[in-house]
Amino acid sequence: MKIEFMALFMIYVLVGSLLALFSRRFFRGHLGDYYIAGGRLGALLSAGTYAATTFSAFMMVGLVGMTYGTGIGALGFELLYLASTVFLLSTIGLRIWMLSRSRKWISPSHMLGDLYSSRSIATTTAAIYLFAMIPYLSAQIQGLKTIFNYGGFGEIDALVISSIIVYSWIAIAGMWSVAITDFYQGIIMFTGALCYLIWMIFYNVPSKGISYLDLLGTLTSNGYLGLTSFWSLGVFLAYTIPWMFFAVTNPQVVVRLYIHKDLESYRKSVLLFYIYGFTYTLIVVIVGLTAAGLSQLGLIPSNMPWDSVTPYLLNLMHPLLGSLIAVSIVAGAVSTSNSIVLAVSGSIVSSVHRLNKLLVARIIDAVLVLAAALVASTGAGFIVDLSVLTSVILLPLAPVTILAVLKHGEFSKYTKLAALVSLVAGTLLATYYAITLGPRRAFREMIMGLPLSIWVLVLSSMIMLVGYFIDRQLYNKKV
Amino acid sequence: MISNGKSNKCSVIDTWDKLYFIINIVLIACFYTIPYTVLHTTKGFELFFFWITLTIVIGLLAVFNLFRKHRGGSR
């Protein structure tokens, strides 16, 4: 066991737990406070929790590996996510926040159920979250296993420790403790990434006896700064389409639209998130490109699996630095995991009247963490693919949410029916291909020339529009 | 937990909103079209700077849009 990792990890847990306990003084003990902090958060905490929830262990493990393996296309993939998220936050997101002030939603399924005046839609949405988010949550815990392995922990230890941290930082004060620890973890994540970059550029490259010009020359001559053969247009579409709508499909980020105390807080938090996301993405991609250059020069192995690149590089560092970066990856996974648990649990609680109690909410949280840990213990999947596949399954929620926010109040039975059919049909289509082709192939495979994500989006959108236009026609006739 | 679906429209879509939406759709489309047409064969930093510039433009527009709306202050 690495002493440095152990020491830094204990400090991380201790400070995080103290912050979580401190947050109890703001917690008023009701469900609205547990799930959305009563809509009373300022810009810094809101931005911090949004950023730490969005950016998971995928950034430091998956994205570094993806850039190492496929070159600059990974930057386009991640920046397109950021650009479309900021666009959605400045339009649909703002409307959702405004509506949430009067509607008092505690979860995205609650929001959809309310906007469509349909309990079936709320329940179906909650069921889709439950189905889609468990693999995503398990991927986070699986990522934690790899990092704990670096620190010398066994698999079972890693699962138990990560599950306890994820759960306890939720149970202490719900969104309050999650938001405060997220803010703290966001700082650790950024610091870890910055240290990683500085080590790569100012220590690792010079120590190999090569110049920056050699590195850049290698990247250029091997095509890593252009579109490599991996990034065909179909693959680029397959990766980017689900992530473009992430801000309106993934419950853990949608619920964060309800937490701002006022408009000023909302505006500033979007700006801060944008600055954080942009800088963090650039840092991570530059680290990945440097690793790609070193591998092309034969200074590190060139055929590592993507998820093994960061663990390999961590082992080349001084243990203290490697441990600091490893802890920052743990922070990324924990902050995403507890936000997912809280959002999914909020959806379940708001969909079923009888579960409408704080104690029940905490029990559901515990069950969700346990379920994800059990799935993770089976060793399922490849972090990148699993995470992207979750977003494909959640894609039908994009047209359903956007139409609800823009046109609510204009719906009658056909739009409601269309929303329900759209959710079920889109989810079934994604699941069918995931089962028949396997998760990895399902989103990269071209079906009639287009990736699965486009078919899911087109199918769900068409069903929604048909229902909406039938309602409009009938309404106009009556008038 | 589910309340009724009463209408509670929060703002009016004006010309700027429509223009802002169209500009963003075009910019996001450029994320795909330019790299796979004009920059398809480049090997230097063109793609790197193109994607970064586009993200900065979209981000600045978003911030401008957010701060333009509801100048009257907080709700």
Side-chain angles (χ1 to χ4, degrees), chain A residues 17 20 25 43 65-68 172 213 223 253 265 277 292 299 311 320 355 438:
Chain A
S17 301
R25 65 172 58 189
M66 185 189 255
T67 314
Y68 153 93
I172 290 174
L213 283 177
V253 287
S265 156
L299 299 168
L320 190 62
L355 302 181

Side-chain angles (χ1 to χ4, degrees), chain A residues 287-307:
Chain A
V287 168
L289 279 176
T290 310
L294 293 176
S295 76
Q296 292 305 306
L297 286 164
L299 299 168
I300 63 171
S302 60
N303 54 356
M304 286 186 277
W306 296 353
D307 289 350

Side-chain angles (χ1 to χ4, degrees), chain A residues 80 86 90 95 98-99 102-103 110 114 117 220 225 231 236 240 244 267 274 350 353 356 406 408, chain B residues 1 3-6 8-9 11 13 20 24 32 36 43-45 48 51 55-56 62 65-66 69-70:
Chain A
L80 185 48
V86 171
S90 67
R95 279 169 171 258
M98 286 177 164
L99 288 167
S102 55
R103 305 278 185 132
H110 185 194
D114 179 33
S117 307
T220 308
L225 294 179
W231 290 109
F236 193 68
T240 50
M244 272 178 67
R267 287 166 169 163
Y274 169 66
S350 61
H353 268 304
N356 200 351
L406 294 179
H408 63 94
Chain B
M1 292 299 293
S3 59
N4 65 30
K6 61 188 180 293
N8 184 17
K9 295 281 182 188
S11 62
I13 296 176
Y20 174 67
N24 269 282
Y32 296 96
Y36 286 91
K43 287 194 163 185
F45 277 95
F48 184 80
W51 273 328
T55 310
I56 291 174
N65 187 54
L66 274 175
K69 285 198 163 193
H70 312 285

Side-chain angles (χ1 to χ4, degrees), chain A residues 124-143:
Chain A
T124 308
T125 307
I128 293 172
Y129 288 151
L130 195 60
F131 169 65
M133 298 314 290
I134 292 287
Y136 194 80
L137 191 55
S138 304
Q140 298 301 317
I141 295 179
Q142 202 178 22

Side-chain angles (χ1 to χ4, degrees), chain A residues 198-209 294 300 313 316:
Chain A
I198 291 169
W199 176 81
M200 271 301 250
I201 302 286
F202 297 110
Y203 177 79
N204 199 25
V205 171
S207 74
K208 305 278 185 197
L294 293 176
I300 63 171
L313 291 169
L316 300 182

Side-chain angles (χ1 to χ4, degrees), chain B residues 23-39:
Chain B
I23 290 170
N24 269 282
I25 297 298
V26 171
L27 289 174
I28 287 172
C30 286
F31 250 99
Y32 296 96
T33 52
I34 304 290
Y36 286 91
T37 52
V38 184
L39 301 177

Side-chain angles (χ1 to χ4, degrees), chain A residues 69-86:
Chain A
T70 70
I72 199 76
L75 177 74
F77 158 60
E78 196 61 30
L79 285 185
L80 185 48
Y81 151 73
L82 183 66
S84 41
T85 297
V86 171

Side-chain angles (χ1 to χ4, degrees), chain A residues 231-249:
Chain A
W231 290 109
S232 66
L233 180 58
V235 168
F236 193 68
L237 282 166
Y239 271 87
T240 50
I241 295 290
W243 288 89
M244 272 178 67
F245 295 96
F246 189 88
V248 289
T249 58

